[in-house]
Amino acid sequence: VSEKYVAKEFGTCLRVLCSSQAVLPLGISHELRKSRVKVYCPRCQEVYIPKGGPVNIDGAFFGPSFPHVFLKTYSQLSPSAQKVDYVPRIFGFKIYKKKGSNCLKEEKKNEEEKVEEMKQNNYEQSWR
């Protein structure tokens, strides 16, 4: 199985930020005829339906713990822990929140509350 994993015979992750990370087969249940095999990406730690469509292999043949046991056994094959956050861009420019959006209003309100709280603390400390 390790040779198939290295050769990416089980497929690669669909996410762009995973950089074509090799995936491992995974069963959702131990019981037969419950679900077909899925694939698990160790970099983003997500479960996907195989790229070529549903495979006619029962997921119980692999079980839900197979990828984790495999990566513990072959720790040299586990991907690096780097996680890259997605930054939305249009034509290369970052997208910022709208000026009047609720998020900014809530942040400003929280900042004002912190300032008031600090003023109260300073006022109380001055009387001590």
Side-chain angles (χ1 to χ4, degrees), residues 6-65:
V6 172
K8 299 183 180 181
E9 288 186 27
F10 298 116
T12 57
C13 185
L14 303 174
R15 292 187 68 214
V16 173
L17 296 176
C18 285
S19 306
S20 297
Q21 171 66 42
V23 294
L24 287 165
L26 169 85
I28 301 298
S29 173
H30 286 294
E31 298 176 27
L32 288 171
R33 297 181 195 95
K34 283 285 183 183
S35 69
R36 293 182 176 158
V37 72
K38 308 281 191 271
V39 291
Y40 171 79
C41 174
R43 182 164 290 170
C44 64
Q45 299 178 352
E46 294 288 333
V47 176
Y48 300 102
I49 296 172
K51 193 174 185 177
V55 181
N56 259 351
I57 299 174
D58 199 322
F61 293 127
F62 294 101
S65 59

Side-chain angles (χ1 to χ4, degrees), residues 2-123:
S2 64
E3 294 167 358
K4 287 186 174 189
Y5 175 71
V6 172
K8 299 183 180 181
E9 288 186 27
F10 298 116
T12 57
C13 185
L14 303 174
R15 292 187 68 214
V16 173
L17 296 176
C18 285
S19 306
S20 297
Q21 171 66 42
V23 294
L24 287 165
L26 169 85
I28 301 298
S29 173
H30 286 294
E31 298 176 27
L32 288 171
R33 297 181 195 95
K34 283 285 183 183
S35 69
R36 293 182 176 158
V37 72
K38 308 281 191 271
V39 291
Y40 171 79
C41 174
R43 182 164 290 170
C44 64
Q45 299 178 352
E46 294 288 333
V47 176
Y48 300 102
I49 296 172
K51 193 174 185 177
V55 181
N56 259 351
I57 299 174
D58 199 322
F61 293 127
F62 294 101
S65 59
F66 173 73
H68 311 295
V69 172
F70 177 84
L71 292 172
K72 287 287 184 183
T73 306
Y74 298 100
S75 57
Q76 71 273 13
L77 295 178
S78 63
S80 61
Q82 68 178 359
K83 256 197 163 179
V84 180
D85 290 331
Y86 175 72
V87 179
R89 295 175 185 263
I90 296 178
F91 300 113
F93 297 100
K94 290 182 183 178
I95 300 173
Y96 293 98
K97 294 178 182 168
K98 244 176 126 177
K99 187 174 180 181
S101 70
N102 290 335
C103 296
L104 292 176
K105 289 178 184 177
E106 289 176 13
E107 287 178 16
K108 190 172 182 179
K109 185 178 177 182
N110 289 338
E111 287 178 17
E112 290 173 357
E113 289 174 359
K114 286 180 185 177
V115 169
E116 288 297 321
E117 192 174 306
M118 288 174 60
K119 285 181 182 178
Q120 283 289 351
N121 289 340
N122 288 340
Y123 180 74

